Every structure is written in structure tokens, then in C-alpha cells.
Amino acid sequence: MLHIVNKSPLERKSLDACLRIAAPGTILLIEDAIYAATRGTEVEARVKAALQRFKICALLPDLEARAVADRVIEGVTTVDYGGFVDLVAEHRNCQSWL
Amino acid sequence: MNFGILVNEGPYQHQAADSAYLFCKAALAKGHQIHRVFFYHDGVNNSTRLTEPPQDDRNIVTRWSKLAQDHGVDLVVCVAAALRRGIRDDNLAPGFRISGLGQLVESGIQADRLVVFGD
Amino acid sequence: MSEEAGSIKKFMFVNRTAPYGTVYALESLEVVLISAAFEQDVSLVFIEDGVYQLKKGQQTKGIETKNFSPTYRALEGYDVEKLYVERESLTARGLSEDDLLVDVTVLAAEDLGKLMDEQDVVLSF
């Protein structure tokens, strides 16, 4: 299953809820959630640990807009909107953790 | 593949409407279909033709209208949410139509995937 | 209509927001009722602040807003009987099943995740 998260993990608990509940699958970080994909934040360890259970992707246009595309954690895959579409198509269902 | 889209936030306030639009554009570019975009909650504010952004900003409403015109995307605005917020047939932008929540459920049934954009 | 009539999908509604502070809880409930009318296989999940939607004893007169919580008890009449609450969300809020206004199945996060994986359509409000 594809899990789409759009909230900054530094402000809201959407990503925590997703990591707690979601069965292993793919997580796509979009909008303000892309900060979760960056090095040096207080949630970095949690995200790195989650890479054991999930494929984690982050939307590149959102990373670039927020000037953090050069800080992506190793193991996180960046995708464009076309890649976003592919992820939705590849997975049987999706949940938006808004 | 056939996608259904749900937009739950208004334009300009939240990125949801932009993300949803860019997703639709990318899906169409890849040869997929967008079965329907359903606008709910404050998302109904995407549909008013009274929207007038500054010259140097994107026009989120006409962008949706063009998607309907160029690709036949069905843009459906929830009637109850719309009436609550002063959206009626006479201020609706081209390509949009007002209908019931059944259209959202139908989209969930008929589309291969339903993707939710919101706050 | 013939295509829809024969097609039953698993719809899951994920309720994550507290009532009244935003409109999502109320408008989610409206979609639930419509999907029941389409005779879909509907389940409702309450996690995080969404569990507060089910708190017994809501009195909304003072905020001049309609109290929609009795609707949860009416869901049974629409054949919507699968209501799930995440145990961790309840505990984190100092609540137990006795605080809720309707019968629910309490599930651990992991079991909820598995249930979510089995759905065809997941709508989150």
C-alpha cells in the first residue's frame, strides 16, 4: 500500500501515526512532509529506522521549492509528479495521512 | 489507468489544490485518464469564476477549467459543501458542475485508484 | 447504474480529527452515509484525535453548532457496523471503551494497518 504524508513531522504527528499503523509498504512524502526526508532534523533517526520497513520517497519539486533537495537522507528516493503517478498506479491502494 | 481525485482544501490557502492539479497533469501526460475530480469541504472554493488572482500568480480555477476542456475531466463540486460556502451554478467556472456526494462514492467504485489531497 | 450495482468495494473512512474544531468529522460522516446507500462494504476507523468524535456526552449548545454525535449510533440502521478504534490512540488520550458512545472494536496499531492494506478505497478526513 502507498501511504502519502503531507505534514511536517516537526509540527504534526501524521508521520508518527503512519509509521505506527501502516503495514510495510511505501511512504511518499509531499508538501511540508518532505522535511522528514532531510538530514539533521530531530526526526532523522526515526525516518532512518523506518527505512528498514518501508520504501520512502519524497517529491523532488517540493524539496526544491523548500531549498532542501541537497539534504536528502541516503536511502530516500526522490520522485517527480510523474513518479508520484507511477507510485499510485503500482500500489493496489493508497491512504493520505493528511 | 483511471484515477479519481478528491480535493478537500480551497485554492491559495493550502498546497492541496496545486498538488492535485500537478498530479492530474502528470497522469494525463503519461496516458492515464482522470475519471473525476471531486471537490469537497473548502475544496469547493476551487470552482468559483469570481476568483481573480494577481497577474503574476497562477490562476488555479482557470487551470482546472482548462483540464476539463482539454481532457474532458469531470469536475464535480459537492452541492451541500458548495451551498454552505456561497458557491452556486451562477458563479461556477466553466467545466465544473454541482452534484451530490454520490458522485464521490461512484468515483471510488469506478476509478482504479482514488487519491485524496487535503490538509 | 448496472455496473455500480454489481460492484462492491471495501471503503475505509479514516477519521483523524477532533469534532467541531474543523468540519472534517461531520462531512466525513455524510460521505459514510452516502456510501452505505451505495451498498458498499464500509468500515470506519478512528485514530488520533478522531477518537474524540466518539466521546460520550457532547453538549454543543454553548458553541451554537449542531451536535452530530448521535449519528454514530444511527449508523447501525444503515448497515454500517464495522467501527474500529486504535488502542494506542485511546490510551494516549486517557480514554477507554466505556467513554465511547457506540460499540467499537478496539485494535492494536499493527492489526489496523493490516486491515487498511485490505481495502479498495481509503478516504481520510
Side-chain angles (χ1 to χ4, degrees):
Chain A
M1 182 171 192
L2 176 67
H3 298 271
I4 303 165
V5 182
N6 79 336
K7 292 288 176 307
S8 166
L10 301 159
E11 195 199 24
R12 302 273 282 269
K13 294 188 171 180
S14 302
L15 181 64
D16 285 338
C18 171
L19 293 177
R20 187 176 72 235
I21 294 168
T26 305
I27 296 174
L28 172 64
L29 306 165
I30 68 167
E31 300 173 6
D32 289 348
I34 56 90
Y35 293 116
T38 62
R39 288 190 301 270
T41 74
E42 61 186 32
V43 301
E44 181 181 6
R46 247 178 288 160
V47 173
K48 280 184 166 168
L51 279 166
Q52 307 295 317
R53 297 170 56 223
F54 297 95
K55 179 185 180 188
I56 302 183
C57 304
L59 197 61
L60 187 59
D62 279 329
L63 284 160
E64 288 172 341
R66 290 162 178 80
V68 289
D70 58 346
R71 291 177 177 237
V72 175
I73 293 170
E74 198 180 334
V76 172
T77 310
T78 60
V79 296
D80 58 10
Y81 284 98
F84 184 173
V85 171
D86 292 341
L87 284 171
V88 174
E90 284 162 16
H91 292 79
R92 205 181 68 81
N93 51 10
C94 60
Q95 144 76 353
S96 296
W97 298 86
L98 306 172
Chain B
M1 189 167 270
N2 208 342
F3 294 100
I5 306 290
L6 172 61
V7 179
N8 287 332
E9 291 302 319
Y12 304 106
Q13 174 76 14
H14 191 285
Q15 203 186 339
D18 294 291
S19 298
Y21 169 77
L22 292 166
F23 180 92
C24 290
K25 214 172 75 163
L28 292 165
K30 280 180 167 279
H32 296 296
Q33 284 93 47
I34 304 293
H35 166 260
R36 178 172 295 152
V37 183
F38 191 87
F39 298 89
Y40 195 31
H41 308 288
D42 272 355
V44 299
N45 290 316
N46 280 275
S47 71
T48 166
R49 64 177 174 82
L50 303 175
T51 303
E52 274 187 57
Q55 288 278 322
D56 61 349
D57 200 355
R58 71 233 188 266
N59 191 320
I60 293 178
V61 177
T62 56
R63 225 166 46 173
W64 285 122
S65 291
K66 197 165 177 331
L67 214 57
Q69 194 183 14
D70 295 350
H71 301 277
V73 176
D74 190 20
L75 306 174
V76 180
V77 182
C78 169
V79 60
L83 292 178
R84 276 187 180 124
R85 293 165 179 83
I87 310 277
R88 304 185 313 193
D89 277 327
D90 54 13
N91 55 16
L92 215 52
F96 289 88
R97 64 187 180 92
I98 293 179
S99 189
L101 273 175
Q103 299 283 302
L104 169 60
V105 178
E106 190 188 83
S107 191
I109 297 170
Q110 292 178 348
D112 298 308
R113 303 282 186 275
L114 185 67
V115 190
V116 182
F117 293 89
D119 187 15
Chain C
M1 286 300 284
S2 59
E3 193 190 339
E4 290 109 73
S7 156
I8 296 178
K9 282 193 173 180
K10 288 186 174 190
F11 275 71
M12 175 179 274
F13 293 88
V14 183
N15 296 287
R16 299 179 49 233
T17 53
Y20 310 114
T22 55
V23 76
Y24 302 109
L26 169 65
E27 292 195 334
S28 164
L29 207 42
E30 290 179 357
V31 190
V32 169
L33 296 175
I34 300 287
S35 28
F38 274 73
E39 297 183 333
Q40 298 300 298
D41 181 356
V42 177
S43 19
L44 271 71
V45 166
F46 298 86
I47 57 175
E48 301 180 274
D49 280 353
V51 302
Y52 286 131
Q53 295 177 23
L54 300 180
K55 176 74 179 64
K56 267 182 198 162
Q58 298 175 30
Q59 303 283 344
T60 59
K61 209 171 163 220
I63 58 168
E64 299 192 7
T65 302
K66 184 179 161 191
N67 179 0
F68 57 88
S69 64
T71 313
Y72 296 107
R73 278 201 297 264
L75 287 174
E76 212 178 352
Y78 294 86
D79 292 325
V80 177
E81 289 165 342
K82 296 178 193 168
L83 274 64
Y84 302 97
V85 171
E86 189 213 7
R87 178 172 296 122
E88 289 83 344
S89 296
L90 266 186
T91 311
R93 285 157 185 81
L95 298 175
S96 72
E97 263 183 274
D98 294 340
D99 296 305
L100 307 182
L101 51 78
V102 69
D103 287 337
V104 298
T105 305
V106 178
L107 288 181
E110 195 186 344
D111 297 323
L112 203 55
K114 286 180 191 152
L115 195 66
M116 195 177 271
D117 257 11
E118 294 167 8
Q119 304 301 312
D120 296 310
V121 182
V122 186
L123 288 162
S124 188
F125 295 107

